[in-house]
C-alpha cells in the first residue's frame, strides 16, 4: 500500500470519476439509471460548472472521491465514495479531515443528503459528527385521482 494522496480533479478526470460514481449509485440503492457515458458527461459538466471534486489515490489508482459545491453559508457535499476494497480502513474519515483542512477551511458547516434506505451510509455520517437537519419527502404522481 502506498500513502493516500488527495488532488483536486479537473473536467478531464470525468472518465475516471464516472465509474466510481456508477458504483456509488449501485451501492447506495439510488434510482438513477444513467449509463457510463451519461455519468461521464454529467461529471464533466459539474466540474466545468459550480462543483469541485477531490480524488483519493493510492499511487496511481483512484480509490475514492468526493464532489462538492460551495454555498454562501455551507459546503454541499453531494458525493463521497470509497471503493469497496478500501472501506473500513478510515479512508473516508481521513479524506474528511483533509477536506476540512485543505478545501473547506473557511466553511462553517457541510451539508449532505443521505438516502433513508442507506442505513450503512447514515451510520457512517453520524459517526463522523453529522446530525439530522431536515427531512425531504416526496410522493409519486397519483395514477387515478388524489388520495387525500
Amino acid at each position: 500500500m502506498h500513502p493516500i494522496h488527495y488532488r483536486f480533479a479537473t473536467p478531464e478526470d470525468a472518465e475516471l470519476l464516472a465509474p466510481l460514481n456508477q458504483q456509488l449509485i449501485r451501492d447506495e440503492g439510488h434510482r438513477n439509471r444513467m449509463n457510463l457515458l451519461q455519468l461521464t458527461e454529467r461529471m464533466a459538466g459539474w466540474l466545468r460548472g459550480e462543483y469541485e471534486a477531490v480524488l483519493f489515490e493510492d499511487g496511481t489508482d483512484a480509490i475514492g472521491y468526493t464532489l462538492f459545491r460551495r454555498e454562501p453559508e455551507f459546503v454541499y457535499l453531494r458525493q463521497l465514495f470509497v471503493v469497496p476494497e478500501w472501506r473500513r480502513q478510515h479512508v473516508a474519515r481521513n479524506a474528511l479531515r483533509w477536506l476540512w483542512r485543505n478545501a473547506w477551511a473557511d466553511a462553517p458547516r457541510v451539508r449532505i443528503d443521505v438516502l433513508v434506505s442507506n442505513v450503512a451510509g447514515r451510520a457512517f455520517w453520524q459517526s463522523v459528527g453529522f446530525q439530522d437537519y431536515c427531512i425531504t419527502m416526496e410522493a409519486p404522481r397519483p395514477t387515478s385521482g388524489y388520495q387525500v
Side-chain angles (χ1 to χ4, degrees), residues 23-132:
Q23 180 68 47
L24 171 64
I25 290 166
R26 280 194 302 265
D27 289 357
E28 68 183 7
H30 199 284
R31 61 182 173 224
N32 182 329
R33 299 293 173 240
M34 295 172 83
N35 64 37
L36 197 53
L37 178 60
Q38 292 168 320
L39 291 170
T40 301
E41 291 171 354
R42 180 177 73 162
M43 187 67 71
W46 279 342
L47 293 175
R48 281 191 297 272
E50 57 189 7
Y51 281 93
E52 298 174 66
V54 171
L55 276 160
F56 321 150
E57 297 173 319
D58 170 36
T60 58
D61 296 327
I63 63 168
Y65 77 98
T66 186
L67 181 76
F68 60 92
R69 178 182 71 219
R70 297 171 196 278
E71 297 288 341
E73 296 185 24
F74 59 90
V75 168
Y76 172 59
L77 176 55
R78 184 178 184 112
Q79 299 170 356
L80 186 141
F81 175 77
V82 175
V83 296
E85 55 271 23
W86 278 87
R87 292 181 189 161
R88 302 203 178 278
Q89 296 182 49
H90 304 288
V91 172
R93 237 175 245 279
N94 290 334
L96 286 169
R97 283 190 198 103
W98 186 92
L99 288 159
W100 277 111
R101 281 193 305 263
N102 299 282
W104 307 334
D106 58 346
R109 70 187 59 80
V110 172
R111 286 195 183 155
I112 59 172
D113 295 323
V114 183
L115 295 175
V116 173
S117 61
N118 185 356
V119 176
R122 290 173 59 206
F124 167 76
W125 290 113
Q126 290 170 339
S127 78
V128 294
F130 284 75
Q131 302 170 357
D132 292 347

